Amino acid sequence: MPRQQQPATRSARRRSYDQFCATARSLDSVGDRWTLLIVRELLAGPRRYTDLHADLPGVSTDVLASRLKDMEQSGLVTRRRLPPPAAASVYELTERGHGLLPVLAALAEWGAPALAERRPTDAVRAHWFALPLLRALDGLTHEGVVEVHLDEGEFHVHVGGAMAGAGGGAGGRGSAMAGAAVYGDGPAAHADARIALDAEVCLALGQGELTLAEAVEDGRIEVSGDGPLAAELRGE
Amino acid sequence: MPRQQQPATRSARRRSYDQFCATARSLDSVGDRWTLLIVRELLAGPRRYTDLHADLPGVSTDVLASRLKDMEQSGLVTRRRLPPPAAASVYELTERGHGLLPVLAALAEWGAPALAERRPTDAVRAHWFALPLLRALDGLTHEGVVEVHLDEGEFHVHVGGAMAGAGGGAGGRGSAMAGAAVYGDGPAAHADARIALDAEVCLALGQGELTLAEAVEDGRIEVSGDGPLAAELRGE
DNA sequence: CGGCATCCGTGACGATACTG
DNA sequence: CAGTATCGTCACGGATGCCG
């Protein structure tokens, strides 16, 4: 029945904290449930609606659609229609949306201790380990793409490119990070080096409990590749 | 239809994302509405229930009580009963809770551009400006307490103490920050220097649009005090 | 008076069904 | 494949009441 709903109040009503505070303003934008996890997904590259829904188990279809609409309106994501061959559209982060990487990194570092326990109900995706790993790969001097192989799957990380880990205090204040992806899901188109490790080692690296050099020496990381980046990873 | 009716799980029911991901785990803890803003308040020092309720306009009494209970249970805050003279109890952050400072700082930096507009419905508290200001004061070499005077009120910041801004990439990975407060609401017990500025300048400093030296030279910051810290602030 | 607990209306959320 | 429609449930916001 055409019950006359308020026509304009569709999604216009966004609940705000109404505080003149930078943190509160951020939470007005990204404080809703699922929003930051959608950003986490899109940090790994452009994704289709169905991909997002598959990698965010538990989110309902309408909430996902609503979030994407809100995020598009607030300038966090853009929706791009792919050329005819693939009649689909993908969502990708804007530069503004990509600027949330330091927030996600800080959350990931703080939440890392909670990963000590792996509950049977937990979903897992390989690229979720990319963010913690970024800090461990941050000190590399050579630039290139590292392909990471875990038991859970693979992803690739672009390292050495000016500011990788970001958020830092010392370096230049993040101006133009561009929309450039720092990491991506799946294998790399062209990898300068390949590493294989398990999730546990990956997390230990991210927390700083283990250094890259130690892990390589112990054989807990297997490095392959013959470029300068691979050599640096081997500690040569 | 299989109903998953949880019987009598009164307040134990906490909604989890059920993902083996550090970011998702963090959001399981602090992703609920108001939680991070309560942390923001407590970063300025121990607070009573009524103080929290006063500085978080819009939060309902039961939600505040519920959050505090949850946060106490998850080890973010502790409740301490004050000695007889003041028959009250205060909430304060644990070390774990204090570790959220980098998260708040990242959110504050990302959300700073949204403060360009100051809406008439916005509440304001002076100590909300402390977090953005931390980054601007981060490079100081002398240690001490800076008392900050804004039109909206005053607060004080402890600077130069090893890691002030925190979260950084270069420096030591944050181990023991102790429960030590980095800043606090109201005037300082003992201030090594005093600065007076307005909120706009404070925000510009936090965003790096303006350096401390420039602002002092322009007279947009008035520095008083005679110790080495005050001298450094003056650019001497 | 500070520190909540209770009640209630609204809206956000989660699951499923359905459609272009 | 990419959402929209519908519905039940729960969390949230506001007000009030209780109790030390």
Side-chain angles (χ1 to χ4, degrees), chain A residues 61-80:
Chain A
T61 58
D62 54 350
V63 167
L64 179 56
S66 169
R67 289 291 181 278
L68 288 170
K69 207 158 292 181
D70 292 343
M71 294 167 75
E72 191 177 358
Q73 187 168 358
S74 57
L76 296 185
V77 307
T78 56
R79 185 180 169 178
R80 184 162 51 93

Side-chain angles (χ1 to χ4, degrees), chain B residues 18 47 62 87 99 104 121 133 138-139 155 168 176 183 186 210 220 227-228 231:
Chain B
D18 280 331
R47 297 297 182 87
D62 56 350
L104 274 290
T121 53
L133 193 63
D138 205 10
F155 59 91
Y183 61 90
L210 189 66
R220 307 175 77 172

Side-chain angles (χ1 to χ4, degrees), chain A residues 26 99-100 102-104 106 167, chain B residues 101-111 131 135:
Chain A
S26 285
L100 283 165
V103 174
L104 274 288
Chain B
L101 194 143
V103 173
L104 274 290
L107 279 170
E109 185 168 6
W110 187 82
L131 198 50
R135 313 201 79 127

Side-chain angles (χ1 to χ4, degrees), chain B residues 73-86:
Chain B
Q73 187 167 359
S74 58
L76 297 185
V77 307
T78 56
R79 185 179 169 179
R80 183 162 52 93
R81 195 153 272 283
L82 293 180

Side-chain angles (χ1 to χ4, degrees), chain B residues 38-46 71 75-78 91-100 179:
Chain B
I38 294 174
V39 173
R40 178 198 65 189
E41 292 302 310
L42 294 179
L43 277 174
M71 293 167 76
L76 297 185
V77 307
T78 56
Y91 296 89
E92 54 190 346
L93 289 179
T94 62
E95 188 173 334
R96 173 80 179 146
H98 199 86
L100 283 165

